[in-house]
């Protein structure tokens, strides 16, 4: 799907749809407003160059040798608590701090390939 990005994004980053500006922004599990990941950036998107639109994966397989960390095959992936190496990619460790929001995003097919199928259930860790 094609959407407008509200900030610069790198392929594989988790995003949520921000209703107030109708744009995709980085999803982070530490706040309710930003915790619901609805897509992954399917390409690098630069903001401010007049063409802030890009492709986003809503469901399916995505592979990235440069952005993703080395995932454990078969492991569940989650919305990240924070950026890893300046990138907001899915993590295999569930958010575990009080007040974090846990959302299952899918699972690792290989060390650098994911099946993205985000759950509509987001549960606050207490």
């Amino acid at each position: 799907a094609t959407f407008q990005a509200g900030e610069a994004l790198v392929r594989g980053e988790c995003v949520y749809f921000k209703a107030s500006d109708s744009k995709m922004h980085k999803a982070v599990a530490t706040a309710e407003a930003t915790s619901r990941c609805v897509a992954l950036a399917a390409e690098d998107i630069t903001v401010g160059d007049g063409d802030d639109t890009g492709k986003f994966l809503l469901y399916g397989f995505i592979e990235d040798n440069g952005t993703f960390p080395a995932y454990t095959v078969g492991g569940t992936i989650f919305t990240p608590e924070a950026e890893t190496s300046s990138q907001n990619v899915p993590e295999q460790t569930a958010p575990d701090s009080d007040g974090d929001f846990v959302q299952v995003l899918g699972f690792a097919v290989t060390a650098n390939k994911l099946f993205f199928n985000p759950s509509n259930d987001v549960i606050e860790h207490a």
Side-chain angles (χ1 to χ4, degrees), residues 3-4 6 15-25 32-34 36 38:
F3 289 96
Q4 191 170 15
V15 296
Y16 74 99
F17 182 77
K18 186 175 183 180
S20 64
D21 67 3
S22 298
K23 297 178 183 178
M24 295 291 202
H25 292 265
E32 183 177 10
T34 64
R36 186 176 300 278
V38 297

Side-chain angles (χ1 to χ4, degrees), residues 73-117:
V73 176
T76 303
I77 58 168
F78 302 91
T79 303
E81 284 184 275
E83 292 186 349
T84 302
S85 301
S86 300
Q87 295 168 346
N88 196 52
V89 297
E91 297 178 347
Q92 281 196 301
T93 302
D96 59 357
S97 299
D98 284 353
D100 282 353
F101 294 85
V102 181
Q103 178 187 22
V104 173
L105 300 180
F107 67 93
V109 177
T110 69
N112 59 358
K113 184 177 186 177
L114 304 177
F115 176 63
F116 181 71
N117 182 18

Side-chain angles (χ1 to χ4, degrees), residues 13-52:
E13 287 192 299
C14 298
V15 296
Y16 74 99
F17 182 77
K18 186 175 183 180
S20 64
D21 67 3
S22 298
K23 297 178 183 178
M24 295 291 202
H25 292 265
K26 293 181 182 182
V28 182
T30 56
E32 183 177 10
T34 64
S35 64
R36 186 176 300 278
C37 177
V38 297
L40 297 178
E43 62 184 357
D44 295 347
I45 304 168
T46 305
V47 173
D49 63 357
D51 185 18
D52 303 343

Side-chain angles (χ1 to χ4, degrees), residues 7-8 30 39 51 54 58 67-68 110 114 119 123:
E7 58 189 306
T30 56
D51 185 18
L58 302 176
T67 306
F68 292 150
T110 69
L114 304 177
S119 174
I123 300 167

